[in-house]
Amino acid sequence: MEMAGDELKLDGNAAAGVLQEIFVPEMTMARTICAACGGADYVGALSVYTHGPGTVIRCRTCEFVL
């Protein structure tokens, strides 16, 4: 059964554990700026996909891989 992209999408808090392994501070409250569209948002508000090999974080505005 194939799942649609929206069924696999989580918010940025889903990446908290992965980010905590790399960075000491709480990263979900860090601000980021998308290189493609310039959209600024908190990491916790970004789109996260965890169902593939690894974790993919995308811009909520343009879906560019961050």
Side-chain angles (χ1 to χ4, degrees), residues 19 23 25 30 58:
L19 293 171
F23 302 101
R58 294 182 175 269

Side-chain angles (χ1 to χ4, degrees), residues 1-65:
M1 179 172 102
E2 190 172 321
M3 297 178 83
D6 284 343
E7 293 177 16
L8 300 175
K9 184 175 15 177
L10 304 170
D11 70 15
N13 292 305
V18 172
L19 293 171
Q20 190 174 24
E21 292 177 15
I22 301 167
F23 302 101
V24 175
E26 170 59 41
M27 292 302 296
T28 58
M29 293 303 296
R31 300 266 302 162
T32 185
I33 298 174
C34 178
C37 74
D41 218 333
Y42 293 102
V43 172
L46 300 173
S47 300
V48 175
Y49 298 86
T50 60
H51 299 286
T55 299
V56 177
I57 301 174
R58 294 182 175 269
C59 174
R60 283 192 334 167
T61 304
C62 71
E63 290 295 313
F64 185 76
V65 175

